[in-house]
């Protein structure tokens, strides 16, 4: 039987001798000791580079997912490393917690997101690994090891963004915050103004980002800030209509060398 693995886009693929999905840390440890090498661990396969590719063994943590425990006072939650970010958000919401920040998508596994310093935007908000309080790993000898920030800070730092090189994360405790609402606003403005005011605009919001619309001379700026307001229906987005027009303009004029 052939074992084919590929990342999200199909751009990276592998045909390892073994693809295995251990059900617990003990089974994972046995595989690390006995499976044909090189052994690589896969999250959701949403990285762009061949980090997970192997001719030996690819370990999937899809069966190691879900909440282990939580602390309502400190807003800490211990979760299995194969938990995808989308389900993780819903689990956390159910216990009154939220991730302080998120990137553009929620498909990644928390183990993979930690492994590559996945981050959202916002000058005061860290990448996921800055939330780590404890980690449990299966090391290169197949042994289960536990580390906590108090006392093992170097190991927490080393395991935080390790590209899978220091062992397999099996469980992590995250420092979260209480659930919250965000108000998201979008603006279209000339790219010259965007670049001129970039630092002030970023500093004025909890989280913000912009996209340049090639050949148009315009950018879209997106800002998110805490809000106590009740949730509202999505408003009609005039900017979206404007953006569609600009994209059409760009597509039809893009062949002009001067643009
Ligand atoms: C459409 C798209 C949008 C994206 N948006 C953002 C964004 O907004 N911000 C951002 O920062 N990034 C973004 N990324 C990048 C993405 O977050 C990272 O590539 C992330 O690593 C993918 O997570 P994954 O679970 O798919 O990990 P994988 O790609 O499967 O693995 C990534 C690395 O982590 C290791 N790893 C996985 N699980 C474990 C584990 N349990 N223990 C130890 N190591 C492990 C792997 O061995 C590998 O080295 C985006 C990617 C895509 C495709």
């Amino acid at each position: 039987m052939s074992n084919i693995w590929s990342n999200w886009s199909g751009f990276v693929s592998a045909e390892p001798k073994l693809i295995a999905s251990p059900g617990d840390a003990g089974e994972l440890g046995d595989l690390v000791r006995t499976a044909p090498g090189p052994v690589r661990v896969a999250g959701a396969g949403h990285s762009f580079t061949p980090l997970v590719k192997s001719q030996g063994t690819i370990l999937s943590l899809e069966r190691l997912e879900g909440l282990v425990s939580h602390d309502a006072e400190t807003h800490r939650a211990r979760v299995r490393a194969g938990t995808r970010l989308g389900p993780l958000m819903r689990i956390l919401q159910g216990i009154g917690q939220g991730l302080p920040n998120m990137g553009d998508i929620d498909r990644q596994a928390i183990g993979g997101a930690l492994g590559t310093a996945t981050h959202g935007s916002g000058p005061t908000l860290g990448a996921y690994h800055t939330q780590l309080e404890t980690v449990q790993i299966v090391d290169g000898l197949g042994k289960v090891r536990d580390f906590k920030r108090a006392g093992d800070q170097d190991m927490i730092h080393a395991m935080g963004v390790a590209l899978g090189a220091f062992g397999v994360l099996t469980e992590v405790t995250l420092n979260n915050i209480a659930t919250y609402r965000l108000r998201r606003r979008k603006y279209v403005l000339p790219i010259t103004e965007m670049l001129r005011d970039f630092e002030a605009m970023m500093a004025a919001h909890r989280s913000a980002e912009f996209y340049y619309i090639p050949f148009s001379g315009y950018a879209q700026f997106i800002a998110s800030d805490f809000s106590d307001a009740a949730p509202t229906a999505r408003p009609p987005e005039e900017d979206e209509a404007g953006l569609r027009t600009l994209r059409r303009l760009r597509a039809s004029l893009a062949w002009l060398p001067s643009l």
Side-chain angles (χ1 to χ4, degrees):
M1 192 181 92
S2 74
N3 289 310
I4 308 279
W5 179 91
S6 76
N7 75 337
W8 69 290
S9 63
F11 191 67
V12 180
S13 61
E15 204 166 341
K17 293 192 181 76
L18 177 68
I19 297 177
S21 307
D24 57 41
E27 207 181 312
L28 176 59
D30 289 342
L31 281 161
V32 168
R33 274 188 295 274
T34 59
V39 176
R40 297 279 181 269
V41 56
H46 272 59
S47 46
F48 299 85
T49 49
L51 288 168
V52 176
K53 187 171 179 154
S54 172
Q55 294 177 333
T57 298
I58 293 180
L59 298 174
S60 160
L61 294 204
E62 64 193 2
R63 292 171 63 208
L64 291 181
E65 49 92 35
L67 181 69
V68 179
S69 61
H70 69 100
D71 184 326
E73 295 266 305
T74 57
H75 299 304
R76 284 182 187 150
R78 185 175 175 100
V79 297
R80 295 183 189 88
T83 312
R84 302 288 183 108
L85 297 183
L88 176 60
M89 280 192 304
R90 287 183 279 282
I91 289 169
L92 294 180
Q93 188 168 18
I95 56 172
Q97 299 184 17
L99 296 168
N101 202 15
M102 293 194 74
D104 283 343
I105 60 164
D106 63 3
R107 303 296 168 93
Q108 305 95 320
I110 185 67
L114 287 163
T116 57
T118 295
H119 55 276
S121 66
T124 62
L125 300 170
Y128 286 118
H129 66 280
T130 61
Q131 286 177 250
L132 278 177
E133 186 62 26
T134 73
V135 298
Q136 182 188 75
I137 64 162
V138 168
D139 71 12
L141 300 173
K143 195 172 161 214
V144 178
R145 302 176 67 184
D146 286 279
F147 302 100
K148 44 179 177 286
R149 183 169 290 277
D152 305 312
Q153 196 146 1
D154 287 349
M155 285 307 293
I156 295 283
H157 283 160
M159 290 303 307
V161 190
L163 306 173
F166 287 166
V168 184
L169 292 166
T170 46
E171 292 181 10
V172 294
T173 304
L174 300 170
N175 286 306
N176 297 309
I177 59 177
T179 47
Y180 56 94
R181 292 199 189 109
L182 289 177
R183 182 171 185 202
R184 191 165 194 242
R185 282 180 273 194
K186 297 179 181 178
Y187 314 84
V188 173
L189 72 167
I191 186 68
T192 45
E193 281 178 32
M194 182 68 244
L195 294 175
R196 185 193 65 205
D197 299 337
F198 172 75
E199 288 189 19
M201 287 172 78
M202 290 300 286
H205 298 282
R206 181 175 189 268
S207 167
E209 60 193 299
F210 81 87
Y211 299 91
Y212 173 55
I213 307 157
F215 310 112
S216 70
Y218 283 85
Q220 184 182 47
F221 180 70
I222 304 171
S224 299
D225 292 288
F226 280 140
S227 171
D228 290 330
T232 54
R234 201 183 178 97
E237 299 198 50
E238 286 162 21
D239 280 356
E240 289 302 313
L243 272 179
R244 270 196 299 278
T245 308
L246 288 169
R247 284 198 195 103
R248 271 201 295 272
L249 196 63
R250 175 198 64 193
S252 44
L253 296 180
W255 59 271
L256 276 177
S258 59
L259 293 174

